[in-house]
Each structure stands twice: as C-alpha cells, then as structure tokens.
Amino acid sequence: MLFGLSHAGIRHKKVLLSLAVLSLWAIPAAAVAGDEVAFLTQDNANILWTLLAAILVMFMQAGFGCVEAGFTRAKSAGNIMMKNFLDFAAGSIIFFLFGFALMFGSDMGGFIGTSGFSLAGVADGDLPWTYTFWFFQSVFAATAATIVSGGMAERTKFSNYVLVSLIVTGFIYPVSGHWAWGSLWLGDDGAGWLEALGFCDFAGSSVVHSLGGWLALAGAMVLGPRVGKYTEDGKAKAIPGHNIPLAGLGVFILWFGWFGFNPGSTTTADNTIGLIAMNTSLSAAAGTVAAMTFSRLRYGKSDISMTMNGALAGLVGITAPCATVTPGSSIIIGLVAGVLVVLSIEFIDKVLKIDDPVGASSVHGVCGAWGTIACGLFNVGDGLFMGGGASLLGVQLLGAGAFLAWGFGGGYVMFSVLKALFGLRVSKEEELKGLDIAEHGSESYNGFQLFTTE
Amino acid sequence: MLFGLSHAGIRHKKVLLSLAVLSLWAIPAAAVAGDEVAFLTQDNANILWTLLAAILVMFMQAGFGCVEAGFTRAKSAGNIMMKNFLDFAAGSIIFFLFGFALMFGSDMGGFIGTSGFSLAGVADGDLPWTYTFWFFQSVFAATAATIVSGGMAERTKFSNYVLVSLIVTGFIYPVSGHWAWGSLWLGDDGAGWLEALGFCDFAGSSVVHSLGGWLALAGAMVLGPRVGKYTEDGKAKAIPGHNIPLAGLGVFILWFGWFGFNPGSTTTADNTIGLIAMNTSLSAAAGTVAAMTFSRLRYGKSDISMTMNGALAGLVGITAPCATVTPGSSIIIGLVAGVLVVLSIEFIDKVLKIDDPVGASSVHGVCGAWGTIACGLFNVGDGLFMGGGASLLGVQLLGAGAFLAWGFGGGYVMFSVLKALFGLRVSKEEELKGLDIAEHGSESYNGFQLFTTE
Amino acid sequence: MLFGLSHAGIRHKKVLLSLAVLSLWAIPAAAVAGDEVAFLTQDNANILWTLLAAILVMFMQAGFGCVEAGFTRAKSAGNIMMKNFLDFAAGSIIFFLFGFALMFGSDMGGFIGTSGFSLAGVADGDLPWTYTFWFFQSVFAATAATIVSGGMAERTKFSNYVLVSLIVTGFIYPVSGHWAWGSLWLGDDGAGWLEALGFCDFAGSSVVHSLGGWLALAGAMVLGPRVGKYTEDGKAKAIPGHNIPLAGLGVFILWFGWFGFNPGSTTTADNTIGLIAMNTSLSAAAGTVAAMTFSRLRYGKSDISMTMNGALAGLVGITAPCATVTPGSSIIIGLVAGVLVVLSIEFIDKVLKIDDPVGASSVHGVCGAWGTIACGLFNVGDGLFMGGGASLLGVQLLGAGAFLAWGFGGGYVMFSVLKALFGLRVSKEEELKGLDIAEHGSESYNGFQLFTTE
C-alpha cells in the first residue's frame, strides 16, 4: 500500500468486496480507531446533487447563445450573445425579486403563488434547501426566456427586448409554472390547478420549453420576417447561419446541460437518476438520427441544421416523460420528435410564413407539446402522476393546450402592446447594417472579410 | 446566525470542528429533535458519481468535434460536426440494442458477451445501477467511434461513414472491450480473456483509445490521402487547420471531460478519485510541456497543433495507469507521450505517407499503446492487476498487441470490404468543393470570404 | 413497479414521504434483507465535492482562453491559446514541485510554507484528501497565472512568458497565498499573517484575482502598449476583438466554472453551498446588468465587451464575500463591480495609458480589491472571520493593500528584471505580423480572408 489508498482495482468485480465492507475499509484508520465516523446526510446529498445539476443547466445559456448565433448571420452575432447575457442576468434578479414567489409561493386559487418575494419570511431551517432550490429554478426560468430570443433574432430592438425578458421571467413563466409545479418548493401550501389534476411534466417539456417556444412564435409573428426572408410573391428564402461549428458546439453544450435539466429534476440524490439520464440520452440520439435520415429522404442530403435541431427536439420531447417511460419508449419519443421538428420548421417557414430564424417554436413549442402528450402515451410510472378519475392522457392534452394558450396568447398580447407602445423592431437600415453595429456600435468579427451584400 | 447556515468558516481549520460533530451540527434542528436522520447510501453515491462522470465524458463529444473541425479545413467543418453527432447518436442506440450485451453480457469463451440485449432480462434490483452503468459505458463507446472520424476527415462519403460508425460501436469496440472489461457489469458471469490474465486498462488506454486510433489508421490508409496532401514525388505537404482557437477550446473540453473519464472509471464514490485526477492532470500537463518544448527543439518554434496534441497524448497515456502509479510517474508518462506523439505524427505523415488529418492514430493509437505498457512499467498498485504467474509487463505488451491486431486488422478488413461494396470516398470534385457543400448542401461559414484555391 | 425504481414522483411533495423513510425505501431489497447497508462517509463526500468543484475550475482555463483570444486580434489568437495551455501545464508541474509547499506547508513566520514539496512526507492517512486538495489548489494557481497573460497579450515573447508563468505559479502566487490561506491544508502547522489577523477571502478575490490582475497591470506597464494603440499625441485607440461570440462563450464558461470556484471553496459537502452559488449567480447577474446599463448611459449604446467584463466583474467581486453576505448584498456588490469595471477600464486605458488588451487589471485587480473590501462591508458571518480586536473592514483594507503591493510591486520587479535580462517583447515586425506567425509559424484562421492592414 504505497499511497494510503484503500484499493486500486475497484472495477474488477472478481476482487470487489461488498460495498458494506468497502465502506468501512475506505475509512481512514484514525477514524476507525477512536473517532465517530460521520456520514453524508441525505439532505446535504440532495443539496449537492441539485446544485450540481443547476450548474449544468446554467451552462445551457452558453449553448443557446452558440446555437442562436451560429444559425444566424455574422452581423448580429454579438447582439445575440448580449440577449443571452441579458436573459440570464436580468432574469436572475427579477426571478429573485418576483418570479420565484409567483411560481412557488403559497397558492392562491391554483393560479399563482403569493409569498417568498426575495425569499422573505423563509424559516431558518428551510434556508439551505431554499437557496439551492432557488438557484436550480432560476436557471430553468432563464432557459425559458432565452428560447424566446431565438425566434426574435436579428431584428428586435435591444431596449425593448429587455422588457420582454423581464416580463417573461418575472411574470409569464412563473404564473404558468405555478400551475404545474406550484407545490414543489415546500409543498404544504397548495398546488397549482394542473398539478392538482395529476399533470405530468417532470422536467419541463411544457413548463419551460413549450412556453418558451410559443412565446417565440408569437414574437416572431408580431415582429414580422427579416428583410429579404420572403420574396414579393411570398416564397421563403433560406438565410443560412454564419458559423455551423459554433452552432454544433452549442447543441453539444445543450445536450450536456440537459443531463442536469432532466436527472436534476429529481432534486434528490436517489437511484432513479440513471434511468432518467439514459432515457434523455436515447431520445436525443433518436431525434438526431431521425432528423438526419428524414432530411435525407426529403431533400436528398442530410441537412446539418435540421440534424442539430433533431437532437434538441429529442431532448425537448423526453423532458416531460423522462422519469416515467422505458428506454425503448424514449427511442420512439425521440424518433417522432426528430421527424416532427423537420415538418414543423417547414410548415412554420413555408406555410405560416413566420420567420423564426433558429426554429425555436418548432424545437421547443411543438416538440415540448409532443413530449407532454408522450408522457401520457408511454407512461409506466406507478400512478403518482395520474389524476383522480381522469385519464392521464386527457390531463396531458389539457396541459399542453393550456401552455399553448397562455404562451402564444399571452405572448401575442405582450408583444402587441410593446409594439404599440415602443415599437419592437429596429429600422430597416439598422437591420441591414446588422444589430451589432446598430445596437452596440461594434462588430463581432473584426479583421475578417465578410460579404457585404447580405 | 442570520442565514440558518451552520457555519461560515469551514475552510479555516483553526475553527473547524471535527467532521463527525459538524455532520450532526449541519442537520436541521427538526430532524435532530424527533425524526430519524437519513444518510446517503453508498449505492446511491456510486450512482451519483458515475452519472456525473458519464456526463463529463459525454461532453468530450463536443471536444472531439471542435478539435477535428479546427484542425481541418473550413469547407468540411460542418461535415465533421455531423459525423460527431452521428457517432454519438447512432452509437448510443446500437450500443443499447447490441453493443452493451456483446461487451458486458455473460461471457462466452472469454471472447464475447451474450446477454443483456436492450437490457432485457436484468433483475429489478439491478436496474438502477445498470441504467447508470449503461450510460457511462455508452459515452465511452461513442468516444472510440469518434476517434475514427478524425483520421478519415475531409474525404469520406457520409452514407458509408454511417456504416463504419455502426459497425464500430455495435461490434468491433464491444468485442475487444469484452476481452478487457467483460466482467465489470454484474461480474459473476465470467471474464474476458485479457482480464483473466490480469490485464490492466483502468480507464481505457487500449479499450477506447488505442482501438479508436488503430481503426483511424486503417481507415486513413484504405481511403488514401486527401487531394493535394502529397506531391507527385511523394513529399508531404501540410494542410493547416482553419480554426485554431476552436481546436484549442476542443482540447480544453477534452481535458475537462477526461476528469470524468479517468476518475469516473472507479464507478465508485471512494477516496481514490483524488489521486486519479491528480495523475491525469499531471500527465496532461507534462505531455503539453513536452510537445511544446520538443517541437521547439525540432522545428525552431513551439508548434501549436503539436502542443495541443501533446496535451491529448498525455491524457491518453495516463488513462490505463492513472489509478496505479504515483504522481511522479504520471509526469514521466506524460513527458514520454508528448515526445512520442510528435515523432509518431511525423513518422506516419512523412514515412508511412498515411494522411491522418488530425493525428488520431498517433494521439490515440500510439499513445494508447504507450499508456498500456506504462501501466506495467510504473505499477505500484497492490497486485490486483497482476496476472497469475506472468509478469504484468508481459500481459500489458500482449494486450497492447491484441488491440493493435484487432483494431488495425479488423479495421483494415472492414474498410476494405466497405470500399469494395460501396466505395468509401467521395469524388475528387466533391472533395475539392468540400464535404459541407457536397454532402450536406450547405456551407459552414456563410458570409465569410474564404480563399477558394484550397 | 416496472423499472425497479423506488418512485417516480419525488418532486410532487404531496406524495413525498419523509426522506428518512425514502432512504430506506430506496435501498435494494437484497441489502435490506441481510447485508449491512453502507453509507457514504463525510470524508469521501468531501473528496467527491471538492474534486467536482476542481474539475469545474479547471474548465475556466478554456474560458480564459476564449475570452482573451476573442477580445484580441485574429493574428495572435493561437499564441493566446498557447499561453493558456502553458499556464495550466507548466503551472501544474511547478505547483506540484514547489508552489503547493510554499503555500500550504508548515508555516515560517506567517510568510511562507516550508514542507510538502512534491507532496513528500505526507502521512498515508492524509494522502487521499491531500491529492484532492492539491488538485483543487492547482487549478486555482493556474487561474491566477492565466489572468496575467491577458494583460500581456499580442506583444510578449513566448519564451520569456514561459519564465513569467513559472515564477508566478511557483513563487509569487503561493507566497501571498500562504498569507491568507496557509493553514487550509492540514491546518495544525501555523497560519499566514493575514489569516492570523482574521482576513476574509473565502474563495480568492485577493488571493487569486487581485494578485493576477495587479501582475497583469505591472506586465502591461513594463511591456508598453501595442503598436498603434496610442496616437502620437497620446490618444487611446480602440483595438477591437476579432471574435465576439468566442469571447461570449468564454465568459459563459468562466461563469459556469465559477460555480466550482466559489461553492467548492467550502471543500466540504455541507449545506452552505446553495447560498454561495446563489450569491455568486446574483452578483454576476448584477454586474452584467450594471455594465450593460452604465455603458449605455455613458456611450449611448450597451457595449458588448463592457457587458461581458461586467459579468466577470460581478463574479470576481463576490468571490471573497460569497459565503458571508446575504443575497441582497450580493446584488449590491455585483452592481458596484459592474460600474467599477467600466470606469476602471477607461481610467487605465485613457488616463494611465496602460494597454491592457482584455481589461484584466480592471476585472481581476480592481474588482478583486472591491470584493475583498465588500467582505468587510457586508459581512453577516458569525464572527469566524473577525480578527482579534481589530475591525474586519480594517483587516480587509490591509489585505487588499498587501496584495496590491505584492502583486504590482513584485510583478514590476520581476518584469523589469526579465526585460533587462532577456527582453520581454517581440520585435515591431513580429508584432505587426502577429504572434501566431512570428512565434509559432502558423496562422489561426487558414483559408479565411483577413484584413492585412491591422
């Protein structure tokens, strides 16, 4: 024993003692000799796991920034990063002051929370968990807000986007979040109306993704398309992204962070997190493969941006059902999501003629709704999510509809009012110049020769 | 006590109570008063640690994508990202259906596993661990496959690369993986022939890296060099990478993920993970310093891509011995790897005249073999890895040879058959255009002015 | 129970059993039936948490590389990556051989440690923790060194930068580190003079950031400005960064890694880490918002690089006080840091006329000092950090001054001596060509058309 290590071959099961014995064996001799041996409490383990998961989810902000910047043009890349910083930064503060209380505070009629503003009034004993839970929820809130920026890329006035971001994180997101997750914080102060019905949205296909996606759709619609996106006779023109490796890195970052998003939603260090991770991985894989294959069948070549969106579609789709379906079902859920996202992007682009530059409404809105419904279709949970007498599928459909109505409807009202009051959009000249110069007075790629015609 | 926190100065040992006391002190008063205090079980701790490590390893996919794209040309960057997505996505599904069972199922003759396809037949009590272990192993499998794509960059037909990826993850990797790690899953159903001899490959210098590297070498050889790589009289020309910061970021991501790869290979939350991390860090550091210095001595200037490959060489080299050598030995292992990778890249490029665009065969193949041998040379483990009467070094040499034979030989057969059946390579016109346009109909850097002559 | 999972609805508190019960319930039946159930020891939990935090901090190296490269010009981007690799690689080895012992070894007069070179002489029982603690501290040391490279970007001779890096990590950093953290390792061998006074620098606003920032300032001053930075009549010209999305990604990576940096500085898996993460997040958010708003008020537009530096400023500012202030105070600390960094960057650039290309001295030096002072202003800790009879604020001011004197003074001496002996700077021709070509013989963006005039 050269290192004071207890063993070197733990992976070789033929020499592996039972863990009960190992545990004692791993304790420093001194401890065994006289001291009491201390163990990690489950409470502190939950704090540890939830914090680590939150950190992973926080990093998804980087992923969104890279995906959105990569899939749009070089002349607005810095502005997109700025919106992502804003969403997380202003969002964290507003969620501390208001959002968290509206989402998780004492329930009022199943519709909204009413206590815990700035975490005021929390009992001392509840504070360590509350800090951790707040942080975990704050990065979820920021995710929802960031999704919106994708649909509104390359033409939104920065000063007004600030308002959008604050309203989403401070009000729209927490209100509908309360419907589905209102009792998750301390739990004894009443549930939201959807969770009271037994609505299943384990990690937020609806709460986070659909909401963000439907808001993005409303925003893109109220803003109108980018200059040059549609010809005079209404034909959609592709405006390709300027940095595909950056977007690809962004997708990998999101995929990575999603292993905090889904397994972390246990907020408990227990033995279910392996299944959740496996389901998350398989659905993302299936979404990737489906979009890669389906785009090849449809366009003759495997499309890069569709494939990347397929990965995200699989991730969004498994977010609600990840804890309550089998690995086999996860593959099916991902395959459907990967096809759905291709069809939806086409439909929104070519039929609805709404210019959503990164496909946010398809990836997060449509596939979030799919995930919510899939949770009802493939459920093998032990009944905890089932509402009283109603079928789970019915509740899931109701919930998906409620998020569509609130996200798209509420978003439409918000964007229309902001447009009427301040004007949401930059001028045509500013848009042609690019938002980096127009809104921030600087370029993103100094020294590089860029084509000036687009 | 304003926050309900138990302490604020834990790092100041002069005021630090013993942990045994602290642990009680940190328990909420309510719990102490009446409830039983719950502790985290070692089983769930192992699940937690193994899952977190797997998540870190998963992120290495992003690192490989960035390194491979950065070290090759702009016109194929999106294609490289696509291959990385494919390797992980298709790989995860095929590893679920077949690979895992072939690698870890009930042993047949020491050569292959035969049970656990789609995880069928696993006892309920084993499922939580199995899900976690599967996920951990699936990201290892994807790593091996992704290494191959580097050696085959910029000229391989995408549709045929799909087959390569499926065969590697579904058959080649799990078979040789079984030889060395076959008993790791549940352990009571027989070992692979190499592990039965006492072969040491703690985290996969051979199982993952050498195998991937030797496959890359075979692939690069069967494919032939890129257009313009060698002059008519056989002189090698450098084809420099298009995005060095992206490659550098990729190396850092890989380095980061390696702290899941190596320490996570305990699959146990125990007290050995600190040493493994320290050894990993020191060897990577030494590899970097060695390549930086050696390339300066050899070429007059510290070469950037050699230095980055030196970091990876150090990481690959320490992967097998990380748990059973001293920190001092880790530095030596890394130094050797950093020199070796420079010499090997030169040798393969200039003497063998095989065009491996990112040096995958040198980094992973050669330095993986070095790490496997180093495990025998520097071993200070407590004998767990020693085979019956044979010397460990002998077993390590045998194992390194076996992986070379299986990886290069098996790969050569596979690539030759695929070439004969379908043609592995794109046409010369497609290659000159770049795989992004040729295979996916889009460019990676829209709006940027690129030189069209290369 | 289809999966062998113990539950599927853990997040739904209305069905949540008490954790004490859950814990038993989550134990595999077999374990309950006959075996002893093993639990994770607090010692091993501390190793697990500290290791995971160290891994996150290690990744900050990637963040620094991206920020520094992104904020400077394309022609030196590879050189910047090389310096970051060097700082971590050479730094790890020198910190193993010397730095760790000088920082944490047996105290001599409160000024320097004197034992533990290469970890020699550590008792077997202390080794597992020591390996982990060493790794955690090694990534902190590398962070300090990397900060310096930012201020010296685009004009420093690589061969001499190697010496700078070695001296900083092997001597300057550990010496002042000993003053504040000298007793943290095993604790019973005497404290540094600042910690003996009750100095509070929980995670290193002074120890890591101020020191790095003041060294960067001295380096930038001794080197002199880049060619073309100041007009003949002394007016500062902006030299904009070449890759803003890369810089933005780098800031997000740093932000992500900071959740290892600050909460990990407990080096204990306890219940305080949630508050520390929350404070870290809120201060970073406030710094971002402050810089975004303040730059808009000052320049008419929200400046992108100022906003990104504002995020880092908030992070640096909260690093000392993160464990001993309230969330509300964290917002104030971040807001001040976000304004301060804008004013400081202007002051150093336009008034002092020191060319710090990435604002390292403002972000890390000035905001590190601010964080150190803020720790005294907003302290609500339970007195553990208070020195004997002196006020905490006084001790904090003294400490901030000591780091300024040591970092700037010591740095000035070091840089001046190196300059006199070897010449710190590349030639004007080399600088105009860019350090990638001049120092490493390669370009970072092959195939891209770059403007040749800058």
Side-chain angles (χ1 to χ4, degrees), chain B residues 202-228:
Chain B
F202 185 73
S205 281
S206 277
V207 171
V208 178
H209 293 282
S210 265
L211 184 80
W214 300 136
L215 282 164
L217 186 65
M221 204 169 153
V222 174
L223 272 171
R226 287 168 291 174
V227 174

Side-chain angles (χ1 to χ4, degrees), chain A residues 127-154:
Chain A
L127 275 173
W129 172 246
T130 294
Y131 294 136
T132 310
F133 184 74
W134 177 87
F135 180 51
F136 186 74
Q137 292 298 336
S138 76
V139 290
F140 273 61
T143 300
T146 292
I147 292 166
V148 184
S149 74
M152 302 176 70
E154 299 207 80

Side-chain angles (χ1 to χ4, degrees), chain B residues 5 15 160 188 217 231 233 246 249 253 335 349 365 368 392 409 417:
Chain B
L5 295 186
V15 297
N160 294 337
D188 48 2
L217 186 65
T231 60
D233 57 336
L246 186 71
L249 173 59
I253 290 174
L335 289 173
D349 191 57
L392 180 59
V417 169

